[in-house]
């Protein structure tokens, strides 16, 4: 098991990609701390992991609440002594162009998609520096490298995640800490509901994907979890400051 005895934190792990990635890490031997704002969802993920023979614990935390996030991470450090892996995955889509997007939604998107990643990384960095090693994986999106129709809040925040990732990587490589970003493309989860509504429904999004994605289909969460495992494990031990785009080829056309 390539993550044997590692301590991992995954935010937004109550569903979708976050849940699949957490399960993959647990199958490879990590003890995974499941963070989600929904206690029920976090506990469901932890129970599922335990049922498969893995090790996990659930924390109900709103990652945009600095005090709650700080308390949660401090508790992990108290119980386990270190954090080896942080996967900042919690995020949200807010639809709308410059004139149409709700300003409060834009601010909420920034807090969740960028600032919460910043804060969680800040909270674990001292522990990683002391250990002389650690991995931080920030979830961006293919929207972080592409134009995404009438999604200014989402694309702005996802581009920012990439810039922040590169800055962190450059600053902390000398301490043995690697920082990379994952850019998933179209993954079939409820996360995409805002864009699906904007596109005009399920049939419209299916047609869009067939037309725009060279592989012609959605990704599964399990496929994205394989990319997560690569980036948080020693299989990518000489990779930092990089952006892995898993999008079925959309960015090459």
């Amino acid at each position: 098991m390539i993550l044997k005895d590692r301590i991992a934190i995954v935010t937004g792990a109550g569903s979708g990609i976050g849940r699949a990635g957490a399960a993959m890490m647990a199958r490879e031997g990590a003890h995974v701390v499941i963070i989600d704002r929904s206690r029920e969802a976090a506990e469901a993920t932890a129970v599922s992991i335990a049922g498969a023979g893995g090790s996990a614990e659930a924390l109900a935390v709103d990652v945009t609440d600095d005090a709650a996030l700080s308390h949660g991470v401090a508790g992990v450090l108290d119980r386990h002594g270190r954090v080896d892996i942080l996967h900042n995955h919690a995020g949200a889509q807010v639809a709308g162009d410059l004139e149409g997007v709700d300003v409060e939604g834009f601010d909420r998107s920034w807090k969740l998609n960028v600032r919460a990643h910043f804060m969680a990384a800040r909270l674990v960095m001292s522990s990683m520096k002391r250990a002389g090693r650690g991995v931080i994986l920030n979830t961006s999106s293919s929207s972080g490298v592409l134009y995404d129709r009438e999604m200014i809040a989402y694309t702005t925040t996802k581009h920012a995640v990439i810039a922040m990732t590169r800055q962190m990587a450059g600053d902390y490589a000398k301490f043995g800490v690697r920082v990379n970003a994952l850019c998933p493309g179209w993954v079939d989860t409820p996360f995409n509901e805002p864009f699906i509504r904007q596109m005009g429904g399920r049939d419209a999004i299916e047609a869009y994907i067939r037309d725009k994605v060279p592989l012609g289909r959605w990704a599964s969460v399990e496929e994205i979890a394989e990319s997560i495992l690569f980036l948080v494990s020693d299989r990518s031990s000489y990779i930092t400051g990089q952006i892995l785009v898993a999008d079925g080829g959309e960015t090459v056309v």
Side-chain angles (χ1 to χ4, degrees):
M1 292 188 289
I2 63 174
L3 298 180
K4 183 175 173 57
D5 298 327
R6 305 281 173 89
I7 306 298
I9 294 175
V10 183
T11 71
S15 63
I17 293 172
R19 183 174 188 173
M24 181 75 75
M25 291 185 213
R27 285 197 295 272
E28 289 296 333
H31 174 78
V32 187
V33 181
I34 308 300
I35 292 183
D36 199 278
R37 65 179 180 178
S38 166
R39 182 176 299 280
E40 183 178 82
E43 290 177 348
T45 299
V47 167
S48 176
I49 287 172
S55 178
E57 61 186 273
L59 287 180
V61 173
D62 178 349
V63 294
T64 66
D65 181 334
D66 290 353
L69 181 61
S70 180
H71 179 74
V73 172
V76 174
L77 290 170
D78 285 345
R79 289 190 296 278
H80 302 288
R82 68 187 195 280
V83 172
D84 301 302
I85 297 164
L86 169 66
H87 181 194
N88 279 314
H89 180 68
Q93 281 188 4
V94 176
D97 62 12
L98 174 65
E99 297 168 289
V101 69
D102 180 75
V103 174
E104 289 184 0
F106 187 97
D107 291 342
R108 184 174 69 254
S109 181
W110 183 265
K111 287 177 67 177
L112 182 56
N113 294 353
V114 183
R115 192 177 186 281
H117 289 20
F118 164 83
M119 287 302 301
R122 183 182 177 100
L123 290 166
V124 303
M125 188 56 75
S126 292
S127 170
M128 290 182 174
K129 286 171 65 178
R130 285 194 300 272
R133 61 173 294 152
V135 178
I136 296 173
L137 176 61
N138 296 318
T139 296
S140 176
S141 168
S142 59
S143 298
V145 295
L146 286 171
Y147 158 74
D148 202 347
R149 191 180 81 176
E150 296 175 0
M151 296 286 284
I152 191 170
Y154 190 63
T155 57
T156 297
T157 57
K158 292 305 185 178
H159 277 73
V161 168
I162 289 174
M164 183 171 65
T165 295
R166 288 174 168 153
Q167 185 67 39
M168 288 181 186
D171 288 344
Y172 289 94
K174 62 188 176 185
F175 298 106
V177 179
R178 297 190 298 111
V179 190
N180 292 296
L182 176 66
C183 293
W186 293 102
V187 186
D188 197 6
T189 75
F191 182 81
N192 293 298
E193 285 305 318
F195 194 77
I196 292 173
R197 288 194 300 271
Q198 183 173 287
M199 289 289 291
R202 185 75 186 193
D203 289 346
I205 198 67
E206 294 286 356
Y208 179 90
I209 289 170
R210 286 194 300 270
D211 180 54
K212 298 295 185 181
V213 177
L215 285 181
R217 63 173 178 84
W218 300 85
S220 70
V221 292
E222 290 77 19
E223 287 176 300
I224 303 303
E226 292 286 355
S227 296
I228 292 169
L229 179 62
F230 171 70
L231 289 170
V232 302
S233 74
D234 289 344
R235 289 174 177 172
S236 59
S237 59
Y238 200 58
I239 298 175
T240 194
Q242 299 304 307
I243 314 307
L244 178 59
V245 181
D247 70 345
E250 185 178 11
T251 54
V252 302
V253 297

